[in-house]
Amino acid sequence: MEPYESDMEGDEQDTPLLPEAHREKHQTVHKAAVCCSSRYGLALLSCYAFFVVYSLRVNLSVAMVEMLNNTQKSSTNHSGSLCPAHNSPERPKHNQTASMYDWDSETQGWILGAFFYGYILTQIPGGYLASRCGPKWLLGLGVLGTVLFTLLTPLAANLGANYLFAVRVFEGIGEGVTYPAMYTMWAAWAPPLERSRLFSISYIGGQLGTVIALPLSGEICFYLDWTYVFYIFGAIGLFWFILWSFLAFDSPNTHPRISEEERIYINASLKDELAVSTNNIPWRAIVTSRPLWAIVVAHFSFNWSFYTLLTLLPTYMNDILGFSIQQNGMLSALPYLGCSIVAVLAGQFADYLRETCLYSTIRVRKAFTIVGMLFPALFLVATGYTGCNYILAITFLTLSSSLGGVASSGFNINHLDIAPSYAGILLSITNTFATIPGMVGPVIGRGLTRHNTLEEWQSVFYIAAAINVLGALVYTLFGEGKVQPWAIRTSSSHGK
């Protein structure tokens, strides 16, 4: 790795600055305290936001196991798996009072992927609206819409698979604006040398949502019935919206309770990185930016394996490893618990390397991307060869997802490095492409595993791993870490 230097140095980035010069440059901005700060308060609120949106995404994956009218289900709630069933300790009688449905594997795949058909529609509009109208209410109302449609899920399922598909599409439409809006907000709130820390706090909200929603959904299905999965998580989302309405603000300058010291610190640290005006967006420069397309490929590749596990892991646990509904949720959550822990540690370490060890931004981003994509691919392939050794299978799946958390401080935050003023728009573009795996992954995955053999699941894991490796390679070759010239032009330059 090379010593860190300012991302504003343009083509001089490969020429190391002396550590003394670097420190002198950044000593001009006095760092505001972290404890009780508004920027870290926003990080916690955004963590809660992503907890909500991910819990609303994944609860159907667990509930789906209970919604199916499978006549092979036994008293342990296990539906004839390839491996022997794992008996649970003696527990109260499993509640199965809710409606059940006769959906084949193809229908299941379409329903599990329906969310992403709506999600992809509002990515780019979300990035544009966030930059023009402000991110706070766009994000808040987007999540609120998802919550309301979540509460309608049991009714839609009773009406038929097509109605459930439509409700999930509308949920995706609401959630589609969340990431672009949040990136736009962080462009105004996150000092450059704190980006990895602040973003990783936000990022783990999604992992925690998965970690908690998977096992809790299993318990809710067991003690109540699957309909309460959507009612309970919907109520949690409504409470978040109330907090967000009163406590979140678009920028430090609009926050009524921020300290003057923190406001000055944030504005001063960003003054050379933000465009004078975002009214005229340099679309041509954006869509022809090579660093952006490097992120697109990495984001698409990473999400292929992520969404494959997110939507199909409960099915794999049930159909192959033989875990019952209450065991399924807990074990399916382990990979995401590991990911959330690793993501936080990676964020701290990435900013330490940049700020204290003076390594360049792009070297840190590439190193973290390589670790966060190649090693998960290796352990994902290894999972397919564990047979019925469920301890080894769960260990490999957990290692795969946990190491994926390293990428949160790699390509995943690179939008803020190359164009902080347009980070929301850049994220909306990359996330549009990265949503495609969520749309087609479950369909392909269920299509390849019609007979639930180990060989079929090995194919699913091989495909995800190969795509992961490709994404890491492309980003390593073409990724950059400096602010792009088109991202810091004045408003008069944009029209040229």
Side-chain angles (χ1 to χ4, degrees):
M1 288 187 175
E2 296 177 359
Y4 172 81
E5 61 217 12
S6 169
D7 292 337
M8 292 298 301
E9 292 300 315
D11 295 334
E12 298 176 4
Q13 187 178 11
D14 292 328
T15 304
L17 291 175
L18 292 174
E20 294 80 4
H22 175 84
R23 291 193 182 96
E24 183 178 286
K25 181 174 182 178
H26 285 278
Q27 282 175 349
T28 58
V29 179
H30 176 67
K31 186 174 182 178
V34 169
C35 184
C36 300
S37 65
S38 296
R39 64 192 187 280
Y40 279 87
L42 175 63
L44 294 176
L45 269 178
S46 60
C47 178
Y48 185 5
F50 289 124
F51 170 90
V52 170
V53 298
Y54 270 82
S55 65
L56 299 183
R57 286 191 199 187
V58 305
N59 52 18
L60 180 63
S61 298
V62 176
M64 180 70 76
V65 177
E66 286 292 279
M67 296 166 72
L68 299 177
N69 186 19
N70 193 325
T71 56
Q72 297 182 28
K73 283 186 179 180
S74 67
S75 59
T76 61
N77 189 49
H78 169 64
S79 57
S81 65
L82 179 68
C83 299
H86 303 275
N87 293 323
S88 303
E90 192 66 30
R91 302 185 66 174
K93 184 179 179 181
H94 181 192
N95 190 346
Q96 293 179 306
T97 57
S99 300
M100 303 173 75
Y101 311 100
D102 296 311
W103 295 332
D104 58 24
S105 61
E106 184 178 356
T107 301
Q108 295 171 46
W110 282 106
I111 292 173
L112 289 171
F115 172 92
F116 301 99
Y117 285 86
Y119 191 65
I120 198 172
L121 296 177
T122 48
Q123 292 294 317
I124 293 178
Y128 177 76
L129 291 173
S131 67
R132 296 299 298 270
C133 306
K136 173 186 172 177
W137 288 112
L138 182 65
L139 191 153
L141 294 175
V143 176
L144 178 62
T146 304
V147 167
L148 296 178
F149 281 108
T150 295
L151 295 172
L152 292 174
T153 299
L155 174 61
N158 278 330
L159 292 174
N162 290 336
Y163 288 92
L164 180 55
F165 182 91
V167 163
R168 292 291 290 180
V169 169
F170 282 116
E171 286 184 42
I173 289 173
E175 274 196 31
V177 303
T178 54
Y179 268 104
M182 198 69 249
Y183 271 66
T184 300
M185 186 168 277
W186 277 130
W189 274 97
L193 293 179
E194 294 185 36
R195 280 177 185 153
S196 300
R197 295 185 184 98
L198 290 167
F199 181 81
S200 64
I201 294 174
S202 297
Y203 177 82
I204 64 167
Q207 307 304 318
L208 292 175
T210 307
V211 165
I212 295 174
L214 287 172
L216 185 56
S217 295
E219 295 297 324
I220 293 171
C221 287
F222 188 89
Y223 285 108
L224 300 172
D225 62 53
W226 64 262
T227 63
Y228 285 91
V229 170
F230 304 100
Y231 297 143
I232 291 173
F233 284 106
I236 293 172
L238 288 176
F239 181 68
W240 168 84
F241 178 75
I242 294 172
L243 293 180
W244 183 260
S245 299
F246 290 101
L247 299 179
F249 298 90
D250 285 328
S251 70
N253 293 330
T254 59
H255 197 305
R257 295 180 295 276
I258 189 174
S259 69
E260 186 66 11
E261 177 190 32
E262 184 179 11
R263 185 187 65 79
I264 292 173
Y265 164 60
I266 295 173
N267 288 335
S269 66
L270 294 172
K271 66 182 178 67
D272 291 329
E273 292 204 350
L274 298 177
V276 174
S277 171
T278 58
N279 290 330
N280 298 307
I281 300 170
W283 288 108
R284 177 178 295 180
I286 289 175
V287 299
T288 57
S289 173
R290 187 175 66 178
L292 172 62
W293 286 103
I295 301 174
V296 167
V297 175
H299 202 170
F300 175 94
S301 303
F302 181 88
N303 273 18
W304 188 282
S305 58
F306 179 79
Y307 285 143
T308 296
L309 289 182
L310 192 68
T311 55
L312 297 181
L313 188 54
T315 301
Y316 182 77
M317 293 288 187
N318 184 74
D319 293 353
I320 299 297
L321 299 181
F323 289 105
S324 63
I325 185 65
Q326 64 269 26
Q327 297 168 316
N328 194 330
M330 181 64 71
L331 293 172
S332 296
L334 283 178
Y336 304 101
L337 176 61
C339 185
S340 63
I341 294 172
V342 171
V344 172
L345 296 177
Q348 298 291 325
F349 188 48
D351 280 346
Y352 170 80
L353 290 175
R354 297 170 64 229
E355 184 175 14
T356 304
C357 299
L358 308 180
Y359 288 115
S360 67
T361 296
I362 190 53
R363 294 305 175 92
V364 171
R365 300 294 183 230
K366 287 183 178 181
F368 278 56
T369 298
I370 291 171
V371 173
M373 294 184 73
L374 294 188
F375 286 98
L378 176 65
F379 284 110
L380 193 57
V381 169
T383 300
Y385 291 90
T386 57
C388 290
N389 187 336
Y390 68 93
I391 294 178
L392 198 58
I394 294 169
T395 299
F396 285 163
L397 286 170
T398 301
L399 286 171
S400 179
S401 288
S402 297
L403 290 171
V406 176
S408 67
S409 295
F411 76 87
N412 218 357
I413 196 175
N414 197 214
H415 315 71
L416 287 164
D417 298 323
I418 65 173
S421 294
Y422 307 107
I425 292 174
L426 266 58
L427 187 279
S428 70
I429 294 172
T430 68
N431 216 21
T432 295
F433 288 93
T435 300
I436 296 174
M439 297 165 59
V440 302
V443 177
I444 293 176
R446 291 306 288 147
L448 291 173
T449 56
R450 294 180 186 274
H451 304 99
N452 281 319
T453 66
L454 282 174
E455 290 75 15
E456 289 176 338
W457 281 96
Q458 286 170 3
S459 298
V460 173
F461 295 148
Y462 264 119
I463 291 171
I467 294 174
N468 242 27
V469 172
L470 174 64
L473 177 63
V474 171
Y475 182 77
T476 301
L477 291 175
F478 302 111
E480 293 189 24
K482 60 182 179 292
V483 178
Q484 300 300 292
W486 48 263
I488 53 176
R489 292 175 178 173
T490 63
S491 56
S492 60
S493 300
H494 284 160
K496 294 182 180 179

